[in-house]
Amino acid sequence: MNQPNTVTVHILDKEYCIACPPEERANLESAARYLDGKMREIRSSGKVIGADRVAVMAALNITHDLLHKQQRLDQQVDSTRDQVRHLLERVDHALAADPDDGQS
């Protein structure tokens, strides 16, 4: 039975009712579909048996992906920061070298 602010999701053939603000419903449903897909993928490989083990493997895989993407994002931020710093140095150098000193 649904109560206000709860969402029912299905993950690996089980139903879960989860408290969720209405504005987060779509995100929760999307996350549940993603998790269900990962768990089914792991279960179908035949290498992992048992729902608990499948869930742990799915959690580890998802966490690994998240951390890897965060690391790449951090590297991109560092690279962008270096590029901006270099451009600012070039602008400062160009302004310092301007013989008119910005006056016309």
Side-chain angles (χ1 to χ4, degrees):
M1 181 183 337
N2 269 354
Q3 298 176 4
N5 298 333
T6 63
V7 177
T8 301
V9 297
H10 294 85
I11 300 172
L12 210 58
D13 304 324
K14 290 191 178 184
E15 188 174 279
Y16 299 90
C17 289
I18 302 169
C20 177
E23 64 273 10
E24 289 296 322
R25 180 183 181 107
N27 287 335
L28 176 60
E29 290 171 339
S30 178
R33 280 190 304 274
Y34 184 79
L35 177 58
D36 181 63
K38 286 291 188 183
M39 289 178 70
R40 288 179 186 282
E41 182 182 305
I42 290 167
R43 184 177 67 177
S44 70
S45 75
K47 295 178 182 176
V48 180
I49 299 173
D52 290 349
R53 290 180 183 266
V54 168
V56 169
M57 291 305 298
L60 284 171
N61 287 337
I62 292 168
T63 302
H64 175 266
D65 292 345
L66 174 68
L67 293 175
H68 183 70
K69 287 179 182 179
Q70 183 62 48
Q71 182 182 30
R72 284 194 325 217
L73 181 61
D74 289 346
Q75 290 171 346
Q76 289 174 344
V77 166
D78 289 344
S79 175
T80 301
R81 185 178 295 121
D82 289 344
Q83 289 174 350
V84 168
R85 186 177 300 117
H86 178 70
L87 288 172
L88 286 173
E89 288 171 359
R90 289 180 60 191
V91 167
D92 287 344
H93 181 73
L95 289 175
D98 185 5
D100 293 334
D101 196 34
Q103 298 173 359
S104 298

